[in-house]
Amino acid sequence: MSEEILISARNITKSYSLGRKKRHIAVNDVSLELYKGETLALVGESGCGKSTLARLLMRLIKADSGRICFEGTDISALSGRALKPYRKRMQMIFQDPASSLDPRLRIRDIIAEPLRVWRVCPDKTEMERRILDLLDMVELKESMIDWYPRELSGGQKQRVGIARAIALDPELIICDESVSALDVSVQAQILNLLKRLKKELGLSCLFISHDLSVVNFIADRVCVMRGGVICETADTETLYAHPGHEYTRYLLSSIPAIGDDPVS
Ligand code: ADP
Ligand code: MG
């Protein structure tokens, strides 16, 4: 992890209208910074504003107020062509690999899509080689290039999602509940893969989860979010050993200890 900030949010607020007069503040005056090379986790219960904050950082939606800076450039007000290069530098890995992969396409075409859109591999041989490389990076067999999503397990589908996300050599990947839909043993495999890729490719990562035991395994630092506000930010070790905020202590108290038998 370096001292250099890759992306930061300054006093970001986003509200949604609920009917004619009422508004719901999904993200309320949030500031954070993500350093180059780090995995920063965003944890909190469902509905607290994690995905909204992720979409604000990626500039998929626009904040009501506040600033987003990517490598020191204010991208809050950019749109269209000016924003385009940043779209490539930040990629999202979604929660549900099953619904994020087009069932009608072979794995080849699913992974090729971003490469085609960005015209990264001009000729067919190069494209094929890049797709095979990506399959290898996410530990899938080369023969799977001709398979359809339905022929893959949940974990394998998520590996395809990861291959797609890293295809354009992004600097930041945002994992929004990317392992939440998977069985615990598969979760561990995907987390290990993410850790390895992050190191090998020098990625920075915003890792969103409601699950504090997953976060403990992968994150360098953690932001705890509640009701649209970040209530505590700390190094992972410090947060787990000495949670500073009452709400963090509450979240930690609700993680089942490993080996706990819920029945006895
Ligand atoms: P999380 O990812 O932590 O579960 P979200 O960011 O998805 O939370 O949602 C935060 C709050 O904002 C929720 O109350 C949600 O209902 C609301 N919200 C999110 N997106 C929209 C939208 N497009 N329109 C209206 N309300 C929304
Ligand atoms: Mg969410």
Side-chain angles (χ1 to χ4, degrees):
M1 194 177 125
S2 76
E3 300 288 301
E4 260 178 284
I5 294 172
L6 180 66
I7 192 165
S8 66
R10 281 283 152 264
N11 309 104
I12 283 289
T13 296
K14 176 75 185 176
S15 60
Y16 293 108
S17 82
L18 299 173
R20 232 154 38 96
K21 289 209 175 121
K22 276 182 141 179
R23 292 190 79 80
H24 171 73
I25 305 179
V27 171
N28 193 354
D29 197 25
V30 163
S31 297
L32 63 77
E33 46 275 322
L34 193 150
Y35 292 92
K36 286 189 183 171
E38 85 167 330
T39 298
L40 178 68
L42 199 55
V43 298
E45 290 168 305
S46 174
C48 72
K50 304 180 297 295
S51 297
T52 303
L53 181 54
R55 290 204 288 273
L56 287 164
L57 286 168
M58 291 189 79
R59 278 300 325 271
L60 297 173
I61 54 174
K62 217 168 171 183
D64 304 340
S65 59
R67 281 198 308 156
I68 307 285
C69 288
F70 191 96
E71 272 200 322
T73 304
D74 186 351
I75 59 167
S76 339
L78 301 184
S79 59
R81 261 182 43 195
L83 196 57
K84 211 179 156 205
Y86 296 95
R87 293 257 182 270
K88 190 176 171 196
R89 296 168 77 178
M90 303 184 246
Q91 295 291 324
M92 180 94 86
I93 300 170
F94 295 98
Q95 165 165 13
D96 185 4
S99 62
S100 59
L101 306 182
D102 188 335
R104 297 162 303 177
L105 298 183
R106 292 179 196 273
I107 303 310
R108 172 198 321 278
D109 295 308
I110 289 172
I111 299 178
E113 196 202 34
L115 299 169
R116 284 194 192 117
V117 169
W118 287 89
R119 301 200 168 99
V120 176
C121 300
D123 72 86
K124 242 182 128 178
T125 335
E126 209 180 308
M127 174 77 86
E128 188 83 359
R129 196 179 312 130
R130 179 69 179 146
I131 297 167
L132 290 173
D133 258 2
L134 285 161
L135 284 175
D136 189 52
M137 284 161 83
V138 298
E139 298 157 11
L140 290 175
K141 286 184 296 189
E142 292 195 346
S143 58
M144 289 178 177
I145 195 166
D146 287 317
W147 292 20
Y148 287 95
R150 62 170 183 278
E151 298 172 273
L152 302 178
S153 69
Q156 288 168 337
K157 281 187 199 126
Q158 195 53 299
R159 286 172 193 270
V160 173
I162 295 170
R164 235 178 95 99
I166 61 172
L168 296 168
D169 279 325
E171 287 144 85
L172 174 64
I173 51 169
I174 296 187
C175 303
D176 192 354
E177 302 278 6
S178 306
V179 299
S180 307
L182 304 170
D183 292 341
V184 174
S185 63
V186 183
Q187 274 190 2
Q189 294 164 15
I190 298 293
L191 291 171
N192 278 318
L193 172 68
L194 285 170
K195 263 192 175 179
R196 179 173 68 69
L197 289 174
K198 207 206 107 198
K199 207 163 140 192
E200 283 177 12
L201 305 173
L203 295 165
S204 310
C205 177
L206 181 70
F207 190 90
I208 297 175
S209 180
H210 65 279
D211 185 342
L212 274 162
S213 43
V214 165
V215 164
N216 192 16
F217 180 76
I218 197 148
D220 301 306
R221 288 192 309 136
V222 182
C223 292
V224 180
M225 203 171 170
R226 182 191 198 184
V229 173
I230 291 180
C231 54
E232 178 168 9
T233 302
D235 287 347
T236 307
E237 248 176 68
T238 312
L239 187 103
Y240 284 76
H242 310 286
H245 196 282
E246 193 189 330
Y247 182 63
T248 311
R249 287 195 285 277
Y250 160 76
L251 285 180
L252 285 170
S253 71
S254 41
I255 311 179
I258 294 163
D260 263 10
D261 183 348
V263 181
S264 61

